[in-house]
Amino acid sequence: HHFGWPQLALRRWETYLRADGVLRDAHHAMHIDCDALVVSSVLRDTLLSVASFGVLHADNAHYQGHEVAGFKGDRLVRVEELPGFMTEARSLGGEGGGYWDQACFPEYCRVDPPYNRAQGQRCTMEGPDGIYYFYSGIFGGSGWWMIETLQTLARWTGEDRARGFSGARVDDESYLNRLFWEEPPSSILTCAFMYPQPPHDAAHPWLWTN
């Protein structure tokens, strides 16, 4: 059945769960947008050893230093190792508890993180909630972690659909960001994993120096 947008995106979790038998047997599982152009392997042994991972959005401007920026051999390179990493946050105003504090080029950043703010939805983020903003286009983890994640996302979207909500501010991405706020992935990857080359409006050009 073709549901149309945004239900097509919001019901993808239910579609994936039809393959729960495959997921239960999988060592690792990953969701990636069907229109993504894969230019390099990200499934190194070092990444497959983590329980779960999420990828930060290019608009995300908050980094604590532990985020994964790339690889050197089989070793994970952390953001704190990159030239240009700001160890001291500077306030730029706006909401989100320091969300944009470390932007090199704040003019390319949103003033307000694109979290869902509508009242009464399961994916809603209140004023102080949130540190990062994640892509919904790529995330993954162990097979069991993926099943539990998909079950939670499917339940939340189903509950909101029953309450009359047909979508969210950024639809499936809004639900994933709420889930990662409550249960952060064990490893956080920078947006360089989604954009192999820096976009023209990259707020952090140093993320691509690795």
Side-chain angles (χ1 to χ4, degrees):
H1 182 78
H2 184 74
F3 295 102
W5 197 266
Q7 287 303 311
L8 188 64
L10 291 170
R11 292 177 185 259
R12 65 179 59 174
W13 324 122
E14 301 166 24
T15 303
Y16 293 160
L17 284 169
R18 295 175 187 171
D20 66 332
V22 175
L23 291 171
R24 291 177 194 280
D25 293 334
H27 177 269
H28 209 82
M30 183 174 68
H31 159 78
I32 186 169
D33 277 352
C34 63
D35 59 350
L37 176 63
V38 180
V39 299
S40 179
S41 173
V42 298
L43 293 179
R44 307 285 187 92
D45 290 341
T46 45
L47 187 54
L48 286 171
S49 66
V50 304
S52 58
F53 72 87
V55 179
L56 295 176
H57 200 283
D59 284 333
N60 183 84
H62 179 82
Y63 287 89
Q64 296 180 342
H66 62 80
E67 302 85 0
V68 177
F71 301 96
K72 282 188 177 179
D74 291 329
R75 185 178 69 84
L76 295 176
V77 176
R78 305 288 177 177
V79 166
E80 62 191 0
E81 301 176 49
L82 299 181
F85 172 59
M86 296 182 181
T87 57
E88 295 183 6
R90 52 199 172 98
S91 177
L92 300 174
E95 301 179 16
Y99 186 86
W100 305 120
D101 285 352
Q102 294 166 310
C104 299
F105 298 103
E107 65 269 23
Y108 292 134
C109 290
R110 300 173 189 264
V111 175
D112 178 40
Y115 299 136
N116 191 73
R117 301 296 190 187
Q119 295 300 309
Q121 279 188 275
R122 186 59 182 83
C123 61
T124 294
M125 302 280 278
E126 302 296 338
D129 293 348
I131 297 176
Y132 298 109
Y133 189 78
F134 292 89
Y135 280 114
S136 62
I138 178 171
F139 63 90
S142 69
W144 278 103
W145 177 88
M146 183 63 86
I147 288 175
E148 293 177 355
T149 296
L150 294 173
Q151 289 175 338
T152 299
L153 292 168
R155 184 175 69 254
W156 287 1
T157 54
E159 291 171 354
D160 279 350
R161 191 161 55 244
R163 285 194 285 264
F165 293 101
S166 59
R169 183 172 179 181
V170 198
D171 300 317
D172 56 314
E173 199 162 79
S174 295
Y175 286 91
L176 185 69
N177 271 275
R178 180 69 213 187
L179 178 61
F180 281 174
W181 169 239
E182 295 186 19
E183 301 176 22
S186 62
S187 190
I188 297 174
L189 281 56
T190 73
C191 54
F193 282 84
M194 194 66 172
Y195 286 100
Q197 300 296 325
H200 74 281
D201 57 351
H204 292 292
W206 46 267
L207 287 175
W208 286 267
T209 60
N210 176 51

